[in-house]
Amino acid sequence: MLKNRIIPCLDVKNGRVVKGINFVDLKDAGDPVEQAKIYSEGGADEICFLDITASNENRDTIYEVVEKTSKKCFVPLTVGGGVRSVDDINKLLNCGADKVSINTAAVQNADVVYDSSKKFGSQCIVVAIDAKKKGEMWEVFTHGGRNKTGINALEFAKKMEDSGAGELLVTSMDRDGTQLGYDIDLMSKISSTVNIPVIASGGVGNLDHLVDGIKLGNANAVLAASIFHYGKYTIKEAKEYLKSKNVLVRL
Amino acid sequence: MKVTIVDYKSGNISSVINSFREVAKNKVNIEVTADLNKIKSSDKIVLPGQGSFKSCVDALNNINGLVDTLNKFAISDKKPLIGICVGLQMFADIGYEETETKGLGWISGNVSKIDNQNGKYKLPHIGWNQINIIKESKILKDIENNSHMYFVHSYEFIPNDKNVISATIDYSSNIVCAVEKDNIFGTQFHPEKSDKIGLKIINNFINL
């Protein structure tokens, strides 16, 4: 049987991890390579890097990080943040990323998704959707949640599937950072709208939230950042808990 | 010994290169090339493949003489070759992704879309699935039954002769995930992304 994936996400800025794992025995707590290694050795099913480097001059640092990490981590590596073009995707894949997640560029121009999935295969194209509840619908936001678009998230999800996305990474902006749990309604509606896998993101504060994301939100994978970074739970603890709640995981 | 990863511009092969180099350390020479002479002089070949069946077959055919060289290596000279993902799928006679496309024809069969049972199963099949080993295979040596491997694909290889199948997975139906026919090996999963257990398969191949 296919297992549900647990994906820790690391924010990387100027080549360094921000809000890193709080382990005392780390030689260099800001080193993304070392942290990714800890996660993969702990049983992470996939590692996600989100590049939050603000300035263009420092963009190249993420390539170095990906290159180094992919030589040490033998689980899938997804990289997102600031991906604008087919050329950006190509560079990240060449450095050793297995998948690239596209956010703002996918909203601005669906051809980026279409062209890159044709060129590299759908398996490496993840579309990241940031959505916020607005009345009865969810609205898509871009630029790291700063700009509203007026686009309905469910319609956009379908459009991205049709354009060739292999997976959707769905973040609830209402829940992100709140530790109140995923927006289950949003996850389950998107999951039933598309036939490609959905990764739930935004709002995890405890392990029951991961269970809910899969069981109630029908997500195929759950992404979390802070519960793992601060050493609140290890990946193994999370997976054991999920297993005890009858969620299929790789242990 | 020299192991060559065939770089026929089939998409992203960095992870394949990294994993083989990690396993080989400095003991085995890992070459990444599409140079026919270098392929001919190799002891073993790795045939990766990403994207669609058609795009991979087209990419192979785009390099003059490559298919003939691979045919000689695997079929006439019977030297070890492993196909990964679409690399395995191309062993088939025919594939149905995008449009009907002729494969290498090394293992008789076809490559068809996984039956998603009207949306009950999501495609691509992405993630970790447990393999069911049904036949002893050299590359699965010391791999426990029900081990988890990492998959990402929407199409499956359906060989005519079921004796070539060394492992299957359960996703919608029993899907072939490892084959072995004489000197030809293939995995639908990605050993290069399947953690330590995947590296072990790579090690088994290198040590054949």
Side-chain angles (χ1 to χ4, degrees), chain A residues 1-5 40-41 43-46 67 70-77 92-99 117-124 161 165-167 190-192 194-198 218 220 249-251, chain B residues 10-16 18-23 49-52 55 98 116 118-130 146 148-154 169-171 190-197 199:
Chain A
M1 288 295 285
L2 181 65
K3 301 303 164 73
N4 297 287
R5 283 169 286 155
S40 81
E41 279 165 8
D45 296 307
E46 210 168 306
E67 203 161 5
S70 68
K71 289 197 168 98
K72 292 287 161 215
C73 276
F74 300 97
V75 298
L77 176 64
L92 284 168
L93 293 175
N94 279 336
C95 289
D98 298 290
K99 307 180 198 179
S117 63
K118 275 272 169 261
K119 191 162 180 193
F120 310 112
S122 289
Q123 84 287 339
C124 60
E161 178 183 26
E167 279 180 286
I190 290 205
S191 189
S192 61
V194 296
N195 285 317
I196 52 177
V198 170
N218 293 321
N220 307 90
V249 287
R250 174 182 70 115
L251 264 174
Chain B
S10 69
N12 174 30
I13 59 169
S14 329
S15 290
V16 174
N18 286 337
S19 61
F20 272 79
R21 291 208 165 127
E22 170 77 12
V23 172
Q50 278 201 353
S52 73
S55 68
E98 286 185 60
N116 76 349
N118 290 322
K120 195 175 154 211
Y121 289 88
K122 299 232 166 186
L123 290 181
H125 167 232
I126 298 184
W128 298 80
N129 205 324
Q130 282 176 296
N146 294 322
H148 288 93
M149 300 293 171
Y150 184 76
F151 289 82
V152 44
H153 63 126
S154 299
I169 44 157
D170 177 13
Y171 194 71
H190 290 268
E192 77 277 15
K193 286 282 119 188
S194 296
D195 216 343
K196 292 187 185 76
I197 197 112
L199 297 184

Side-chain angles (χ1 to χ4, degrees), chain A residues 11-16 18 50-63 65 80-84 146:
Chain A
D11 287 354
V12 180
K13 190 178 181 183
N14 302 329
R16 306 285 292 168
V18 270
L50 180 64
D51 183 22
I52 54 168
T53 303
S55 68
N56 279 325
E57 304 92 79
N58 288 329
R59 280 269 169 236
D60 285 347
T61 56
I62 192 70
Y63 299 118
V65 167
V83 177
R84 293 274 169 268
R146 287 190 298 278

Side-chain angles (χ1 to χ4, degrees), chain B residues 13-122:
Chain B
I13 59 169
S14 329
S15 290
V16 174
I17 299 168
N18 286 337
S19 61
F20 272 79
R21 291 208 165 127
E22 170 77 12
V23 172
K25 301 275 191 245
N26 298 320
K27 289 172 257 164
V28 177
N29 183 15
I30 305 290
E31 183 112 51
V32 182
T33 184
D35 183 297
L36 302 185
N37 286 323
K38 284 183 178 162
I39 292 173
K40 281 174 195 160
S41 68
S42 304
D43 299 293
K44 287 169 189 158
I45 279 183
V46 184
L47 189 61
Q50 278 201 353
S52 73
F53 186 95
K54 184 182 182 297
S55 68
C56 285
V57 169
D58 286 349
L60 275 187
N61 286 326
N62 268 341
I63 298 171
N64 216 345
L66 181 57
V67 171
D68 288 341
T69 303
L70 292 175
N71 274 327
K72 185 173 183 313
F73 189 95
I75 303 299
S76 319
D77 298 346
K78 294 210 170 298
K79 292 207 264 182
L81 179 145
I82 187 168
I84 298 172
C85 199
V86 185
L88 150 75
Q89 295 180 358
M90 288 192 297
F91 295 169
D93 303 311
I94 198 157
Y96 296 107
E97 189 169 2
E98 286 185 60
T99 171
E100 203 175 300
T101 308
K102 218 170 150 249
L104 292 163
W106 292 346
I107 300 182
S108 179
N110 69 78
V111 174
S112 302
K113 194 159 196 176
I114 296 169
D115 176 11
N116 76 349
Q117 300 183 17
N118 290 322
K120 195 175 154 211
Y121 289 88
K122 299 232 166 186

Side-chain angles (χ1 to χ4, degrees), chain A residues 93-115:
Chain A
L93 293 175
N94 279 336
C95 289
D98 298 290
K99 307 180 198 179
V100 173
S101 97
I102 316 170
N103 178 266
T104 302
V107 179
Q108 289 173 336
N109 178 10
D111 285 349
V112 174
V113 176
Y114 181 82
D115 293 344

Side-chain angles (χ1 to χ4, degrees), chain A:
Chain A
M1 288 295 285
L2 181 65
K3 301 303 164 73
N4 297 287
R5 283 169 286 155
I6 313 298
I7 308 173
C9 180
L10 290 162
D11 287 354
V12 180
K13 190 178 181 183
N14 302 329
R16 306 285 292 168
V17 175
V18 270
K19 297 189 291 186
I21 311 171
N22 221 356
F23 289 150
V24 276
D25 53 350
L26 266 189
K27 274 183 236 118
D28 179 358
D31 181 9
V33 185
E34 196 167 348
Q35 301 219 1
K37 235 184 121 186
I38 287 178
Y39 281 147
S40 81
E41 279 165 8
D45 296 307
E46 210 168 306
I47 311 276
C48 181
F49 282 154
L50 180 64
D51 183 22
I52 54 168
T53 303
S55 68
N56 279 325
E57 304 92 79
N58 288 329
R59 280 269 169 236
D60 285 347
T61 56
I62 192 70
Y63 299 118
E64 262 173 65
V65 167
V66 171
E67 203 161 5
K68 284 187 193 150
T69 307
S70 68
K71 289 197 168 98
K72 292 287 161 215
C73 276
F74 300 97
V75 298
L77 176 64
T78 304
V79 185
V83 177
R84 293 274 169 268
S85 62
V86 173
D87 189 46
D88 290 345
I89 298 166
N90 192 23
K91 269 198 261 176
L92 284 168
L93 293 175
N94 279 336
C95 289
D98 298 290
K99 307 180 198 179
V100 173
S101 97
I102 316 170
N103 178 266
T104 302
V107 179
Q108 289 173 336
N109 178 10
D111 285 349
V112 174
V113 176
Y114 181 82
D115 293 344
S116 56
S117 63
K118 275 272 169 261
K119 191 162 180 193
F120 310 112
S122 289
Q123 84 287 339
C124 60
I125 305 300
V126 181
V127 171
I129 303 176
D130 292 344
K132 197 172 185 172
K133 184 109 196 199
K134 187 187 174 192
E136 287 308 298
M137 54 96 88
W138 285 269
E139 183 180 7
V140 175
F141 278 67
T142 59
H143 299 87
R146 287 190 298 278
N147 298 358
K148 55 167 106 177
T149 64
I151 298 168
N152 181 322
L154 295 184
E155 286 164 18
F156 182 65
K158 188 75 199 139
K159 186 179 168 194
M160 289 300 103
E161 178 183 26
D162 295 341
S163 299
E167 279 180 286
L168 299 177
L169 165 57
V170 182
T171 304
S172 156
M173 288 171 53
D174 300 301
R175 294 301 180 90
D176 204 23
T178 65
Q179 309 230 335
L180 292 170
Y182 298 118
D183 182 339
I184 295 300
D185 212 14
L186 169 66
M187 299 307 157
S188 67
K189 286 213 165 71
I190 290 205
S191 189
S192 61
T193 300
V194 296
N195 285 317
I196 52 177
V198 170
I199 306 164
S201 158
V204 177
N206 61 49
L207 299 181
D208 281 313
H209 293 152
L210 300 178
V211 176
D212 293 346
I214 292 163
K215 280 196 165 174
L216 306 175
N218 293 321
N220 307 90
V222 281
L223 181 136
S226 54
I227 61 160
F228 298 129
H229 295 340
Y230 297 121
K232 197 168 169 187
Y233 305 102
T234 64
I235 305 282
K236 191 157 183 276
E237 282 166 348
K239 288 179 130 183
E240 275 165 355
Y241 186 76
L242 285 161
K243 196 189 172 195
S244 76
K245 296 289 173 187
N246 298 318
V247 174
L248 293 174
V249 287
R250 174 182 70 115
L251 264 174

